[in-house]
Amino acid sequence: MTTVSPAIDAHDVSVRYGEVTALEDVSLQVPFGSVTALVGMNGSGKSTLFKTLTGMVRPAHGRVRLDGVAPLEARRRRMIGYVPQSEDVDWAFPVSVRDVVMMGRYGHLGPTRRAHRADREIVDSALERVELADLADRQIGQLSGGQRKRVFVARGIAQDARILLLDEPFAGVDKKSEAMIVRLLRESAAEGRTVLVSTHDLHALPALADAAVLLLRRVLFHGPVDEALRPEQLARTFGLDVLGDGRGDRSSGSGGDSSHGDGEGGR
Ligand SMILES: Nc1ncnc2c1ncn2[C@@H]1O[C@H](COP(=O)(O)OP(=O)(O)O)[C@@H](O)[C@H]1O
Ligand SMILES: [Mg+2]
């Protein structure tokens, strides 16, 4: 009985919105203690994958387990820290920065749902880690893009979630916030947490991630970052593969397309 469940385990997951197939036969296993980057163009299914992992979207078929349990149960147990894409947040909602971070403590509060001093201290220390203690009483909509993301990262820290899912945390973010978020995610992985983070910022990948997943409705590649960044891989991922047939057969010397990751599937 020494089996260790992967932090994230998706098996053959397909998601449809009416006629649109957003994800097709996605299989993905991510271990604890790592940062995995999720890379794909707009509409490739990144947000859908996050929503499936959090149980907000039900797959048409396939199965998701987070540390061995189903998404809704994982959510109930507060195992998942989720930073939604900015477009999915109502920034006019009348909550303060501190309120948002305190939401990370709800699962830890007793039946009275009262925050105790320990919870407030955890929230304050999370705010300090993202350098937002000064702005704790501001309404969240009054922050810059980078500060908003840091609030959600602080919520994940306060929650002490073992699985962190971040949907484009670097979009519209200043350099300082980006560097801070990268550092916090690396620290979280070093502490044994798992981080899955979608990003368009390919330059940041080597410093950010241990592995990358290239997504285009299917998993095209899952493996080391330097292999993911090869031109033929990126061409397939971003739909620029206009010369080839998707098999990377332009004699680049690397022996064609790497298929050592899971989910490789010819179309
Ligand atoms: N609620 C929805 N209803 C219908 N189609 C959707 C919905 N959400 C996403 N889609 C479609 O699913 C596909 C994947 O979208 P999404 O997961 O948002 O991709 P990404 O986050 O990579 O941009 C796109 O074609 C998108 O238009
Ligand atoms: Mg998205």
Side-chain angles (χ1 to χ4, degrees), residues 17-18 20-23 40-49 51 85 167-168 215:
Y17 299 108
V20 178
T21 298
L23 293 177
M41 59 188 200
N42 282 336
S44 62
K46 301 180 299 296
S47 296
T48 299
L49 180 56
K51 288 173 186 172
Q85 189 174 275
D167 197 352
E168 305 212 19
L215 189 72

Side-chain angles (χ1 to χ4, degrees), residues 22-36:
L23 293 177
E24 199 171 339
D25 300 334
V26 166
S27 292
L28 184 67
Q29 288 203 338
V30 180
F32 279 108
S34 64
V35 177
T36 300

Side-chain angles (χ1 to χ4, degrees), residues 41-98:
M41 59 188 200
N42 282 336
S44 62
K46 301 180 299 296
S47 296
T48 299
L49 180 56
F50 284 118
K51 288 173 186 172
T52 309
L53 295 176
T54 55
M56 293 155 73
V57 165
R58 292 267 305 266
H61 70 76
R63 203 184 78 143
V64 172
R65 289 292 178 270
L66 300 164
D67 196 10
V69 306
L72 291 177
E73 177 62 15
R75 222 160 90 187
R76 203 186 59 75
R77 295 189 200 174
R78 294 268 151 183
M79 289 160 54
I80 313 168
Y82 174 48
V83 178
Q85 189 174 275
S86 284
E87 291 82 342
D88 290 341
V89 176
D90 176 6
W91 297 107
F93 201 75
V95 288
S96 71
V97 167
R98 182 181 277 110

Side-chain angles (χ1 to χ4, degrees), residues 213-248:
V213 172
L214 303 179
L215 189 72
L216 186 57
R217 209 174 72 230
R218 296 167 168 275
V219 174
L220 299 179
F221 173 87
H222 181 189
V225 170
D226 56 339
E227 287 179 37
L229 289 174
R230 284 189 187 146
E232 65 270 24
Q233 293 292 4
L234 295 179
R236 293 203 302 153
T237 308
F238 291 95
L240 303 172
D241 194 22
V242 289
L243 298 177
D245 60 2
R247 307 306 302 175

